[in-house]
Amino acid sequence: MGKKKDAAALAQREREEWQLGQDWARWLMGGNAPQPLTLYGIVLEQGEVAYLQAPAHYARLYGGSGQYTQSGGIFFGRPGMVLGLMAANAAVNAGRKAAARRDMQLLWRDLQEVPTIATNYRLMCHLPARGWLSFYYTAVQEFYPDPANWTITFGFQNAEPLRLGGLSTPTLSVLTAWTVLGKERWQSEPGIAPLIQAATAQQVGPGQQQAQLEGQQRNLPRIPGQD
């Protein structure tokens, strides 16, 4: 019974977050810009403003070093025992070598949920062991928002690819499309097409839209324009 309740609660959260992504899309499509989000304790750059603060599932794509420590030694004793020890040692080294080769493969690593901030300049992710890491939009060479699967992937000039996921993905996908691609191109990004289409279908008249947005701002804490 508990698992069913948890699954139902998660499904409800997903619907709410998907709707929130549509609300952001409709807001930005209307020519509006997110208003600054008030942050405390975070020092931003000159001219930088925060738009969104939410937890996200963080991962980086890279291969390991492939290094391993080779076991060795000099064995004394009866010939049979020495041969056995040598065989066991060779098996240990072979296992370590195979593990090192596997470690060299490109894999999504450092998986963890981290506080994430989206500003007009960059994404900021706070890792417990490293503090705040910055990913500037000007360094993005590849951009793959996939809110339908709750992930966004970024490729950079001189850094390992970054993948963010979680419930805030629909909103973060729309917002980063707007900041990475610019006001002229963001709506044509294929990855956010489902959100754009839904937002277009929900568009209403100017007066109704304003009243609707005001109501959403009271009920949905990450609607654009809300402090």
Side-chain angles (χ1 to χ4, degrees), residues 115-225:
T116 301
I117 297 172
T119 79
N120 56 330
Y121 291 171
R122 55 182 165 160
L123 291 169
M124 302 171 63
C125 298
H126 187 273
L127 276 64
R130 302 179 62 184
W132 286 103
L133 301 183
S134 295
F135 304 93
Y136 285 86
Y137 305 136
T138 53
V140 174
Q141 289 188 321
E142 297 179 78
F143 175 58
Y144 305 106
D146 188 12
N149 290 304
W150 305 92
T151 62
I152 317 171
T153 305
F154 302 87
F156 302 98
Q157 293 175 358
N158 298 304
E160 297 92 352
L162 165 71
R163 186 179 68 192
L164 296 177
L167 290 173
S168 61
T169 302
T171 294
L172 196 57
S173 293
V174 170
L175 179 56
T176 51
W178 187 77
T179 51
V180 171
L181 302 178
K183 299 177 184 178
E184 303 299 324
R185 295 191 298 146
W186 75 275
Q187 293 185 47
S188 63
E189 165 54 47
I192 61 171
L195 293 167
I196 294 291
Q197 293 167 2
T200 301
Q202 293 175 356
Q203 282 183 331
V204 295
Q208 291 175 297
Q209 185 181 47
Q210 181 62 33
Q212 186 181 64
L213 285 171
E214 289 175 357
Q216 290 165 346
Q217 288 173 345
R218 288 193 296 271
N219 298 319
L220 299 172
R222 288 199 297 277
I223 282 290

